[in-house]
Amino acid sequence: MDEQRIWLLSGTGEGPPLAAELLRRGWQLRVSVVSSTATRAYPAHPALELQVGALGDEAAVQNAFAQWPCRWVVDAAHPFARSIHPAVAKACKALGQPLLRLQRPMFNSPGATVLERLEDLADQPLERDSLLLALGARELAAALSFSRAREHAVRLLPSASALGQALQLGLPAERIACLRPHTSSSLEGSVEAGLCRRWSITAVLARQSGGPPEQQWHRICQAMGLKLLLLARPESRDPHGLEIEPLLARLGWPP
């Protein structure tokens, strides 16, 4: 085990500020991200190594961790990344590797409708609504098949495959936005709020991710009087997970 190292699994939400703080404290850091696009959110640093691509199944994860021993593995992957969390937990247990899990907060959702399954969208009376789908490309086809809304628009991450999938599903090009989530403290500065105004959106379907994008959808929908539908997290809260400040306190500084 290298006492100076931390392996962080994350994306572009909490990952970059968490990485910046760990580097400031003097840790040597390896960050695993899924796509090369995500690496742009991380600054160049001599103590930072970026690893791109899925880690694979439990055996592959265990092999990867064994080849780069570290003081901590920090699982800060997206809560909807269904396969990676159990694979990381089992691999760390098998290796005796210390593991910490970042627990995103659960926001109070007054006025929001939480859908336990995407199929529950079919029960929502949206026949008069213009629905913005902010779920990502993977669940886009299923969401469209269950939705009863009179029209749809979609906000996707910027990739050719996501755009191609949206077009193939019959969404008009003028109602597709391919961009990374933009969080802003003001409604006027929010790209997402601008899209809602441009497209005359009356309802939004997003994920209960616990990150800044979800928090912004709460703010936008409340300010603009829009319906907010949230797809529930696919897992219960981890009783051993730590929110960002307790996590940083536990990690501390390298010896």
Side-chain angles (χ1 to χ4, degrees):
M1 180 186 299
D2 192 311
E3 295 290 334
Q4 306 289 323
R5 292 174 168 179
I6 289 177
W7 191 323
L8 172 65
L9 293 85
S10 188
T12 57
E14 291 84 356
L18 180 55
E21 176 59 22
L22 293 173
L23 291 168
R24 187 189 69 80
R25 294 184 181 193
W27 288 100
Q28 183 179 348
L29 195 60
R30 173 179 281 189
V31 178
S32 288
V33 294
V34 175
S35 69
S36 57
T37 303
T39 63
R40 300 171 189 167
Y42 294 84
H45 191 284
L48 173 62
E49 175 189 342
L50 292 169
Q51 185 180 64
V52 179
L55 287 176
D57 59 14
E58 179 188 341
V61 173
Q62 184 173 331
N63 182 57
F65 288 163
Q67 292 182 24
W68 202 79
C70 56
R71 175 67 185 90
W72 294 104
V73 169
V74 177
D75 180 1
H78 198 283
F80 280 78
R82 293 172 174 84
S83 61
I84 191 61
H85 301 301
V88 168
K90 291 176 182 177
C92 287
K93 184 176 181 180
L95 291 170
Q97 168 66 56
L99 168 68
L100 293 177
R101 172 83 179 272
L102 176 66
Q103 182 68 65
R104 294 188 181 191
M106 290 289 285
F107 298 122
N108 186 26
S109 305
T113 300
V114 178
L115 308 178
E116 292 301 321
R117 305 173 306 153
L118 191 54
E119 291 89 331
D120 295 338
L121 181 60
D123 299 326
Q124 298 301 310
L126 300 172
E127 290 85 353
R128 297 184 178 182
D129 286 294
S130 178
L131 178 64
L132 173 59
L133 300 169
L135 291 174
R138 182 177 300 177
E139 294 170 306
L140 180 57
L144 287 169
S145 70
F146 294 125
S147 172
R148 297 163 60 183
R150 63 178 175 83
E151 61 180 358
H152 300 88
V154 62
R155 201 269 338 256
L156 300 167
L157 293 177
S159 76
S161 61
L163 174 59
Q165 183 176 346
L167 292 171
Q168 190 174 17
L169 288 168
L171 285 160
E174 63 272 15
R175 293 181 69 83
I176 302 171
C178 290
L179 47 86
R180 302 207 71 83
H182 289 72
T183 55
S184 172
S185 58
S186 67
L187 188 64
E188 291 76 13
S190 165
V191 175
E192 279 77 5
L195 290 174
C196 289
R197 286 190 289 265
R198 177 176 180 177
W199 290 330
S200 300
I201 295 298
T202 59
V204 174
L205 175 59
R207 294 187 289 189
Q208 194 183 41
S209 63
E214 183 202 339
Q215 194 171 22
Q216 180 162 261
W217 283 125
H218 282 278
R219 186 166 63 249
I220 290 172
C221 291
Q222 184 175 9
M224 299 179 66
L226 311 181
K227 299 176 184 177
L228 176 59
L229 310 175
L230 294 172
L231 181 60
R233 293 187 193 183
E235 58 186 78
S236 60
R237 286 176 65 85
D238 185 345
H240 304 295
L242 298 171
E243 294 193 12
I244 187 69
E245 292 304 326
L247 177 70
L248 285 169
R250 181 74 181 278
L251 292 171
W253 281 259

